[in-house]
């Protein structure tokens, strides 16, 4: 059970940490906010795991293969390109 | 200037590339069409759900771009310029087909809570806002399970099931790897909106993964 959900007395709750996790992961946090955020992570395994899961989710998404262009669309576009060249 | 991550010519190379396109270099065009397809398709699907309609939007965008190549001024990268064209065509198309777009599809519809509020202790309980029970530690999951085909399939399905605008942002950012600034320019959205859409998307996909990995 989480006992140090607001470890420095005036920092974030776990629910708040989760709500602004992407600001942290995106490097979009103000420095003073970041300090309070990281203090929370130092004391809270639950939130540390959550942040880790968010990172892992992003990493897994990045390993997916991209959508491939349908062959038909590609050949149609190449035909258009050739036609424009002749004009 | 560092080039974009997905192997497409960056700003420095755009002039060269455009020269080749104007000169009728078919292999340069083929490479560009192939490389840019995932991002163009993702932008289109941010507005039109149907895959074949999204492909039509991509095609229409290329026709417009090829005809307007002389008007490309190089103030953005060629890729961002193309993605903007896709977004404009897709938006028009969505409106024309009377899909419900009361305001921009990329405006934030609601203040949906990012994670199920029941995961946290209520205001009148001890430690309000704290986890009821911690998320599991994914680092203890064997790689053979975490990186199994089934896990990737779950991620893919979860992304496909996202609302259009969240899906477009997560595909562009996390799957394809564009940076936040380019996604904002391409979709014509603010940094704040982009981040909220990305957050909601990642949180939903994480929850799907959690349900699978914790089972």
């Amino acid at each position: 059970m989480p006992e140090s959900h607001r470890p420095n007395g005036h920092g974030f709750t776990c629910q708040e940490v989760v709500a602004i996790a992407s600001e942290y992961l995106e490097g979009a946090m103000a420095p003073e906010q970041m300090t309070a955020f990281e203090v929370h992570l130092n004391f809270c395994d639950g939130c540390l795991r959550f942040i880790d899961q968010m990172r892992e989710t992003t990493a897994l998404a990045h390993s997916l293969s991209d959508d491939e262009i349908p062959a038909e669309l590609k050949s149609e576009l190449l035909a258009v390109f050739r036609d424009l060249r002749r004009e | 200037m560092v080039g974009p991550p997905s192997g497409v010519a960056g700003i420095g190379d755009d002039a060269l590339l455009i020269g080749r396109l104007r000169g009728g270099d078919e292999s340069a065009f083929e490479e560009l069409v192939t490389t840019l397809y995932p991002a163009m398709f993702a932008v289109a699907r941010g507005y039109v759900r149907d895959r074949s309609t999204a492909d039509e939007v991509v095609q229409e965008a290329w026709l417009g771009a090829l005809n307007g190549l002389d008007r490309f001024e190089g103030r953005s990268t060629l890729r961002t310029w193309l993605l903007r064209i896709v977004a404009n065509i897709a938006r028009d198309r969505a409106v024309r087909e009377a899909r419900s777009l009361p305001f921009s599809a990329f405006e934030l519809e609601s203040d949906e809570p990012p994670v199920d509020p029941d995961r946290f202790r209520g205001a009148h309980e001890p430690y309000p806002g704290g986890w009821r029970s911690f998320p599991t530690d994914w680092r203890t999951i064997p790689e053979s399970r975490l990186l199994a085909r089934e896990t990737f399939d779950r991620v893919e399905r979860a992304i496909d099931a996202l609302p259009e605008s969240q899906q477009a942002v997560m595909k562009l950012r996390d799957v394809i790897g564009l940076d936040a600034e380019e996604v904002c320019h391409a979709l014509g959205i603010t940094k704040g909106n982009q981040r909220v859409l990305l957050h909601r998307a990642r949180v939903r996909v994480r929850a799907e993964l959690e349900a699978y990995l914790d089972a």
Side-chain angles (χ1 to χ4, degrees):
Chain A
M1 283 292 124
E3 295 195 346
S4 45
H5 66 288
R6 206 189 272 273
N8 57 355
H10 54 273
F12 297 113
T13 65
C14 301
Q15 195 165 13
E16 287 162 353
V17 161
V18 160
I20 57 171
S22 292
E23 283 178 49
Y24 176 70
L25 293 168
E26 292 280 288
M29 231 173 225
E32 63 276 13
Q33 208 181 12
M34 179 117 95
T35 304
F37 193 93
E38 288 187 331
V39 166
H40 183 109
L41 291 188
N42 275 332
F43 286 89
C44 180
D45 285 347
C47 287
L48 199 59
R49 287 180 189 172
F50 180 85
I51 293 290
D52 188 49
Q53 290 185 357
M54 289 287 274
R55 287 204 175 102
E56 189 60 41
T57 300
T58 305
L60 287 169
H62 196 57
S63 303
L64 295 179
S65 39
D66 288 336
D67 291 302
E68 263 183 55
I69 185 166
E72 196 184 338
L73 175 59
K74 191 189 215 174
S75 58
E76 279 170 13
L77 288 171
L78 286 173
V80 167
F81 188 73
R82 269 176 233 129
D83 285 348
L84 281 173
R85 204 182 151 192
R86 279 194 216 103
E87 281 172 13
Chain B
M1 192 74 207
V2 177
S6 50
V8 184
I11 290 170
D13 300 318
D14 276 356
L16 185 69
L17 192 52
I18 285 165
R20 287 174 73 187
L21 293 180
R22 284 184 183 139
D25 183 337
E26 197 175 310
S27 68
F29 180 67
E30 184 173 356
E31 193 187 329
L32 193 62
V33 157
T34 307
T35 320
L36 290 184
Y37 177 77
M40 293 174 85
F41 184 67
V43 170
R45 285 199 74 194
Y47 299 89
V48 295
R49 185 102 235 182
D50 182 63
R51 298 183 78 94
S52 62
T53 310
D55 276 339
E56 286 169 25
V57 167
V58 170
Q59 184 165 22
E60 203 180 319
W62 273 116
L63 298 186
L66 287 173
N67 283 313
L69 208 52
D70 292 335
R71 273 168 287 171
F72 174 69
E73 294 180 17
R75 282 186 212 162
S76 62
T77 62
L78 184 61
R79 179 170 67 185
T80 308
W81 181 69
L82 283 162
L83 295 181
R84 233 6 231 272
I85 294 175
V86 172
N88 289 339
I89 291 172
R91 194 184 307 114
D92 288 352
R93 179 86 180 231
V95 170
R96 210 165 59 228
E97 294 187 355
R99 274 184 74 259
S100 57
L101 284 172
F103 39 95
S104 164
F106 284 87
E107 294 291 325
L108 304 173
E109 305 92 2
S110 66
D111 291 328
E112 65 174 66
V115 170
D116 182 0
D118 290 345
R119 295 291 298 269
F120 304 97
R121 291 153 183 265
H124 303 294
E125 297 174 69
Y127 309 119
W131 292 101
R132 284 188 192 284
S133 64
F134 283 174
T136 55
D137 185 354
W138 287 3
R139 290 175 193 222
T140 61
I141 299 172
E143 271 202 1
S144 58
R145 174 159 160 79
L146 188 64
L147 303 179
R149 179 63 191 262
E150 176 68 13
T151 310
F152 290 105
D153 287 348
R154 296 278 173 152
V155 175
E156 193 155 34
R157 282 207 297 270
I159 294 175
D160 279 342
L162 291 169
E164 285 97 330
S165 53
Q166 292 179 24
Q167 182 187 121
V169 171
M170 187 158 178
K171 279 211 159 184
L172 291 167
R173 288 294 315 279
D174 291 346
V175 181
I176 300 169
L178 304 197
D179 66 24
E181 196 180 357
E182 183 167 15
V183 171
C184 291
H185 284 157
L187 298 174
I189 57 177
T190 64
K191 282 184 191 171
N193 271 15
Q194 190 266 162
R195 202 164 53 239
V196 171
L197 290 166
L198 183 64
H199 181 68
R200 289 177 181 177
R202 284 175 177 170
V203 160
R204 284 189 193 218
V205 175
R206 186 211 66 89
E208 291 291 323
L209 265 174
E210 183 181 44
Y212 166 66
L213 292 170
D214 285 1

